[in-house]
Amino acid sequence: NPGGSAAGGGVCEAGLGACGGVCVDLASDRQNCGACGETCSGGGRLCLEGACQCPPGTTDCDGLCVDLTGSAAHCGACGRACGGALLCTSGVCAVDGCGGGRFQDHDYLVCSGSLNHAAARDRCREFGLNLATVDSAEEVQFITDFTGGEVWIGLNDRNAEGTYRWVNTDLTATSALNNGELVSFQNWEAGEPNNDDHCSGGFLSIGQTCNDEDCIHTRIDGTWNDAVCGNSMAYLCESQ
């Protein structure tokens, strides 16, 4: 009853309303928000300008007011959870030592610590992710802008020469880690893959071994090159 009478017959001041004989500010009272008896209950909602709503800087996620810049369960958007060891930083799932990004509902980490292909794959799995699988020209452009350099991705032909597969995306798998889906979309650099065997002059000297180029990394322009899997470089992890 805005502007009504309080207990004892007094009249509420302008801007206040009488609820149960008490003068209250209907614009900010959580028990009487906008009208007597309208309660802002739970979830951190406040009564702001006569309506139950989340405080500035937070978002209503199924009745819970959430800071999307720092919530691991709602990182950047309601329901967008950071898996594994990832933390939500500035609305992006990331981890120490790696930069975080997001594209088409997938989380990405670009990690500058140089590892060989297998170690990079295993490190991504520790984060609850995997070495990136690239499916489209749009994703290539995102990765190129995001990484700004050469990084390992999940493609390889370690199991069968010339048959390129992505790493296994089943994080529970303990074998056949390189035996995932066959490649469909491709973005090779001109002249690649060439499987350069890195044998000087094509001949082996005593004690020398050749190293086939079985693992794939991006170039700075986003195209792909095959390289020796034991080489160390930065790597790109992706959620599945």
Side-chain angles (χ1 to χ4, degrees):
N1 181 18
S5 299
V11 177
C12 292
E13 297 179 0
L16 302 182
C19 295
V22 178
C23 293
V24 297
D25 184 353
L26 299 178
S28 62
D29 192 305
R30 293 185 64 188
Q31 304 304 315
N32 303 279
C33 188
C36 294
E38 292 293 330
T39 303
C40 300
S41 58
R45 291 184 300 164
L46 303 177
C47 182
L48 303 173
E49 299 181 354
C52 292
Q53 52 190 299
C54 288
T58 65
T59 300
D60 189 332
C61 293
D62 295 328
L64 180 67
C65 295
V66 177
D67 178 359
L68 300 180
T69 66
S71 171
H74 306 280
C75 188
C78 292
R80 182 183 292 167
C82 296
L86 304 187
L87 302 175
C88 184
T89 304
S90 299
V92 175
C93 296
V95 68
D96 288 345
C98 304
R102 193 163 183 87
F103 176 75
Q104 294 185 348
D105 294 328
H106 285 220
D107 291 309
Y108 293 79
L109 293 179
V110 58
C111 302
S112 58
S114 292
L115 296 176
N116 65 42
H117 193 267
R121 176 203 62 204
D122 293 346
R123 186 63 171 151
C124 289
R125 287 166 65 89
E126 290 176 10
F127 297 148
L129 309 177
N130 218 327
L131 278 176
T133 297
V134 187
D135 297 321
S136 68
E138 291 77 16
E139 188 175 11
V140 167
Q141 187 60 59
F142 163 77
I143 290 172
T144 303
D145 295 340
F146 176 53
T147 62
E150 298 187 348
V151 292
W152 286 127
I153 56 177
L155 194 60
N156 67 91
D157 67 341
R158 301 186 73 167
N159 289 349
E161 186 62 42
T163 300
Y164 289 92
R165 292 180 178 272
W166 297 103
V167 292
N168 195 327
T169 57
D170 180 2
L171 297 183
T172 66
T174 56
S175 61
L177 296 182
N178 299 305
N179 197 23
E181 292 184 3
L182 285 167
V183 66
S184 53
F185 172 81
Q186 300 180 54
N187 192 48
W188 296 106
E189 181 182 24
E192 301 295 343
N194 63 7
N195 195 41
D196 187 343
D197 62 11
H198 292 264
C199 293
S200 177
F203 297 96
L204 289 175
S205 58
I206 296 175
Q208 181 186 8
T209 58
C210 291
N211 294 305
D212 288 347
E213 295 186 326
D214 291 336
C215 294
I216 312 308
H217 68 90
T218 63
R219 293 294 197 191
I220 194 169
D221 64 356
T223 56
W224 302 346
N225 173 61
D226 57 345
V228 175
C229 298
N231 290 353
S232 293
M233 67 178 70
Y235 53 99
L236 181 67
C237 307
E238 179 187 1
S239 65
Q240 305 303 315

